[in-house]
Every structure is written in structure tokens, then in C-alpha cells.
Amino acid sequence: MSRFLFLALFLASPLLKAQEDFRPIVAEALKKGEKRIVIPPGTYRMDPKGGGGELWVLSGVKDVEIIADGVTMVGTKLMRAISLHKCSGVTLQGLTVDYDPLPFTQGEVIAAAEDGNSIDVKIHAGYPKKAYSRIDVIDAKTRFRKKGMPFLWGTKAELIGEDVVRVTLKGIAKAAVPGDLASLSTGQERGAPHGISIDECERMLLKNVTIHSAPGMGLLEADGEGGSTFTGCKIVPGPKPAGATEERLLSSSWDAFQSKTIRQGPLVENCEISHAGDDSWSVQSSDFLVLKSEGNTLVIGSRDENTNGVQNGDRLRTGVESQEWKITSRKVVPRKEAGLSPEVLEKMENAKAWDFWRASPKCIVVTLDKESGLKEGESVYSPDRTGQGFIFRNNRIHSSGRILLKAGGLVEGNALNTPHALIVCPELPGTAAAGIENLIIRKNVIRNSGWFCAAPWSSQAGVISLTATLSDKE
């Protein structure tokens, strides 16, 4: 009997059905060196194991196919479903990810306070009776975001009955009136958020993978060499939960799909995204604040606190046409161990969100191939950490968020139905370094745009917007 046939028979055995868990069997197959692992079709409820922040972790896996056609993985805790960490050449095919209980609830607005500062939402049957506070107002006729909904940040929510949530925010009754629908979501309850996370990986292939719900983003790709492919994937609402009569109003609670701080952007092709809680897809990057400069040594801080930042061999620039410096060595140290001046430390400690001096508490000490002449308070970016060279092609979008582009690549042949827009913008403080080059947008169909939350501070108003903001007025 071949090793593959034995594995297939073993995976289909009654033992798996009793366990309702494919994780240990996949782990054993990987330990044996199997390169093609088939998970039998079925629905598997996944409980957390140990104290980690993810339900299923694949770390350091190389050149392996995991075939999960007809497999639904249901997370029983609101935490990351799958973490792919430092993997290369891994194929994940056919898997569907969902949660029970769901990471959101939904219902109908049944009352608004006379002062306009609160609304009551009666939860639909079958949905969690939870007071989640991240609200999206939905038109009852279209079952899509209500046109002109403003940013409803800072809401508070509480259960005032068995199935009624009171959402409080000054003026909220101007946005949501009785008869409207609403989705209410939140972040994770344990560990890390997001449905599937791919970090420090390269050459990954996700094929026909579906995400029906997530406590954060649906799919996040961050750090690493990138060059991955996502084909035939879906981030769409799942089936009605048990006891429900109303279809789901939401897929991912946050962005559907985000790629950030990777060397080579992904190929995203023939995918479908609908009813996400925030942006549909974005390719993201950040600048690095110069905190100390001595000869060919820099201490820099990333504006993104959750990524690894630049690596050995990466280039730094102040602009698209500026001089470049290559990193020959790097190390990460805490801010207080970076030898920063008292003045710099004070500016960073006092910086508020979106201030120029707001940066990660982790500092990156880099050695460059030559002296930079840069000074404290200047900003640099790396063209090797923007996801340059992405391809976003032949995808179908029916979601109110943005396609947000902070790198060069190709956006072609997509159908965008009632999105906000295609946005090209670094979204950084006006004096921060950024560079977006070699971007091609062509042959896309955009229907009925402008459905993102109205933001008076934003310059991103057009169907296709190419913007950068110097200040609140520019």
C-alpha cells in the first residue's frame, strides 16, 4: 500500500469523525514528510488547543499541498482560525472558514432616542444576543450599506433586553432610523484576530478558499518575500445560522483582504468579495521615521507597529527619484535601548495617533552601504516593502469599502459593484516619505460608487482617486 493511499484511508477512518479534528492528523502527515495531504470532506468544529492565539497553526511548512475540498472549518472561539507562519510553496485548496458563534450580530432598528444620541436594534432570530458596538447601517430594501452613512466611530453598546441592543453615539439617530437594518461586530475574544493570516511567507497558493466570517480581517498577508497567488477565493457571507430566517448582512468584520509590507505583491485573480465590514482589498506599506543618524547607521521606527519592517538587502529612499541606501545589517531593540536623544523620546512619547512622531515602540537599528546624511525627524520608505508588482485581475466585488493601493502593480478586468472607489493614496502625514510608481488601472467596470462612510477630512472622493494630503486643508 502506498503512503498516500494509507494516509487517505487513515484520514477517512471513524477515529477522525469521533475527534472532529483534522489538525493532529495533518501534523502527523507533515512529520512523516508527506507532500500531498487530503482532508476528507465534512464540517469540523475547532476548539482552541493550548494557550496559543490561533486555532490551527502551520509553521515552517515547505512545498506541501493541503487539499480540503468540501471541508468547512468552524471556529468555536473568536480568534484567528489559521496562521501560516514562515511557510513557502504551500498550497491550501478548497477550505471554507466560518465561526459559531458568529463574530457579529444583526437586526432591525426599532427605536431612536428623542435626543438623537442612541438607537435600539432588535436582534434577528438565530443571531448572537451580544452587544457588539462596531455598527454598519443597512438599507432594508437593498440589504447593503445605507447611502451616505457617516463614520460611526466611538459607539457604545449594551443589551437592554433579551434581544435588544442600545447603541449610543452623539447624533447616531441621524444615520440610523427605525426600519433600517444594522450589523454589529467586534474584534477577537481571545488571541489574535483575522480569519487567515499569512506572515513571513513566500510563494503561497490559496485556491478556492472561502471565508464566511472573521473576527477581524478575512485574510491578512504581511511581511516576508510574498509572490503568492490567491485564485478563486471568496470572502462572502455564509449561510443562515440555525434558527435564523434572515440572510447574513456581513462577511468579515474588518477588511476582507489586506496585503502589507511584503517584497513582491500577490496575484489576486478570479476572486469574489462581498459585504465586508471595511475595505475590500488593499496593498499597504508604511514609512520609517529617522530617530537617530550617525554615519552609515540609522535608528528608524515604523509607523506600522504590527509588522517586522525592513530586512537585510532592502533599500531606503526619501522619494521615488531620490538617492537610495541599501541595508547591510539590522537589529530590533526597545525604544529605551536605542540611544535616542531626550528630545526625540519626548516627541514620541507625546505623539497622538496619526501624528508625525507616532511610531512603533520597537526601533530598528540598520547599517547602510554608505553614509546617508539623513537627520532626526526625516522620513524614509522602502520600495522593497510595498508589495510592488501585484496583480489584481478579474475579481468580482460587491462591497462598500475601497480598493486601496499604496504600491505599483496592475488592476485590470475587475467588476466593482457599489464600492467606494479605487483609491491611490499613501495615507501618511504630509511630510512622510512615500512612493507609488508603475501603477496601471485599466478595463475595470465600476458601477454606482461612493458607498464608503463619508469622512470630511478625507480627500478620497472620486470613483478613481489619486491623492495625498499635506494637511487638514490640503
Side-chain angles (χ1 to χ4, degrees):
M1 181 183 296
S2 70
R3 288 193 301 167
F4 174 71
L5 179 58
F6 173 78
L7 178 63
L9 291 173
F10 179 60
L11 286 171
S13 70
L15 177 63
L16 180 65
K17 295 179 181 178
Q19 290 179 325
E20 293 186 345
D21 191 346
F22 57 72
R23 290 170 294 187
I25 299 170
V26 173
E28 182 63 22
L30 291 171
K31 185 177 179 180
K32 292 178 179 179
E34 300 289 344
K35 292 299 183 182
R36 190 172 190 270
I37 303 169
V38 179
I39 303 174
T43 298
Y44 301 87
R45 294 180 61 86
M46 295 295 195
D47 298 320
K49 300 295 183 183
E54 306 92 354
L55 293 170
W56 185 26
V57 180
L58 294 172
S59 183
V61 179
K62 297 183 178 180
D63 301 320
V64 170
E65 287 184 280
I66 299 176
I67 309 301
D69 294 331
V71 174
T72 298
M73 173 183 174
V74 179
T76 61
K77 289 290 184 182
L78 303 186
M79 56 195 296
R80 183 169 298 168
I82 303 171
S83 179
L84 299 163
H85 177 62
K86 291 188 175 180
C87 297
S88 65
V90 172
T91 295
L92 179 61
Q93 175 179 308
L95 182 69
T96 295
V97 173
D98 207 350
Y99 288 83
D100 182 20
L102 290 170
F104 73 96
T105 192
Q106 64 181 57
E108 180 181 348
V109 179
I110 58 171
E114 289 185 5
D115 64 5
N117 296 333
S118 69
I119 59 171
D120 294 344
V121 179
K122 183 176 178 60
I123 297 172
H124 287 152
Y127 287 87
K129 297 176 181 179
K130 294 285 188 178
Y132 296 145
S133 60
R134 183 184 174 103
I135 186 170
D136 207 355
V137 182
I138 309 297
D139 187 305
K141 293 181 180 179
T142 64
R143 298 185 70 83
F144 196 70
R145 175 176 283 169
K146 189 176 180 182
K147 186 76 169 180
M149 190 191 92
F151 274 97
L152 297 176
W153 291 352
T155 55
K156 296 181 180 180
E158 60 175 335
L159 276 170
I160 61 169
E162 182 183 4
D163 60 354
V164 176
V165 177
R166 177 161 293 167
V167 182
T168 303
L169 181 70
K170 185 176 180 180
I172 193 172
K174 295 179 181 178
V177 299
D180 287 341
L181 302 180
S183 64
L184 301 166
S185 60
T186 187
Q188 74 276 21
E189 62 181 359
R190 173 177 170 179
H194 316 317
I196 300 176
S197 175
I198 302 172
D199 70 287
E200 298 185 59
C201 296
E202 62 178 337
R203 298 184 295 103
M204 306 293 282
L205 171 60
L206 267 63
K207 183 177 181 181
N208 300 333
V209 170
T210 297
I211 299 173
H212 282 321
S213 62
M217 297 183 193
L219 202 160
L220 173 65
E221 176 192 24
D223 297 325
E225 296 300 292
S228 297
T229 298
F230 304 86
T231 182
C233 296
K234 296 181 180 181
I235 302 174
V236 299
K240 290 181 289 189
T245 58
E246 297 280 348
E247 299 288 347
R248 297 193 201 185
L249 297 173
L250 195 65
S251 56
S252 60
S253 296
W254 304 351
D255 298 16
F257 183 3
Q258 183 181 111
S259 297
K260 68 176 181 179
T261 57
I262 52 177
R263 181 179 295 276
Q264 181 182 344
L267 167 61
V268 182
E269 190 170 38
N270 297 320
C271 294
E272 180 180 354
I273 293 170
S274 71
H275 294 82
D278 208 320
D279 289 334
S280 296
W281 180 70
S282 61
V283 55
Q284 299 264 5
S285 60
S286 179
D287 69 317
F288 299 87
L289 188 59
V290 177
L291 307 174
K292 183 178 180 180
S293 178
E294 291 181 348
N296 64 341
T297 300
L298 292 181
V299 180
I300 57 177
S302 173
R303 205 171 300 279
D304 189 329
E305 300 183 6
N306 299 310
T307 59
N308 291 337
V310 286
Q311 302 295 313
N312 287 338
D314 287 350
R315 297 165 292 163
L316 295 177
R317 295 175 178 169
T318 58
V320 170
E321 297 181 349
S322 78
Q323 182 181 2
E324 291 185 341
W325 305 274
K326 181 174 288 189
I327 296 172
T328 59
S329 70
R330 73 181 288 276
K331 65 177 180 179
V332 178
V333 299
R335 182 183 295 173
K336 292 184 178 180
E337 298 177 15
L340 305 182
S341 69
E343 293 79 12
V344 167
L345 284 171
E346 183 179 6
K347 289 177 181 178
M348 298 185 75
E349 292 294 336
N350 294 331
K352 299 178 181 179
W354 298 106
D355 282 353
F356 180 78
W357 283 94
R358 181 67 177 240
S360 171
K362 297 181 294 184
C363 295
I364 307 174
V365 182
V366 298
T367 304
L368 306 178
D369 61 346
K370 54 193 171 188
E371 290 192 17
S372 67
L374 294 166
K375 294 180 174 56
E376 293 176 359
E378 292 193 74
S379 173
V380 293
Y381 80 99
S382 175
D384 302 310
R385 290 294 145 192
T386 63
Q388 189 76 10
F390 70 83
I391 299 174
F392 190 78
R393 182 170 59 201
N394 296 338
N395 301 292
R396 302 172 307 284
I397 311 295
H398 179 47
S399 205
S400 54
R402 304 169 294 179
I403 304 296
L404 177 58
L405 309 171
K406 301 183 182 182
L410 175 64
V411 180
E412 180 179 44
N414 303 285
L416 311 180
N417 185 11
T418 53
H420 173 52
L422 280 165
I423 302 296
V424 183
C425 182
E427 293 192 319
L428 294 170
T431 54
I436 301 173
E437 54 186 324
N438 300 322
L439 174 62
I440 299 172
I441 300 173
R442 65 188 182 196
K443 299 179 181 179
N444 301 282
V445 176
I446 304 174
R447 299 184 180 93
N448 197 5
S449 73
W451 289 81
F452 201 58
C453 303
W457 63 86
S458 175
S459 60
Q460 303 170 11
V463 175
I464 299 178
S465 294
L466 288 81
T467 68
T469 304
L470 294 177
S471 69
D472 291 340
K473 298 179 180 180
E474 297 179 278

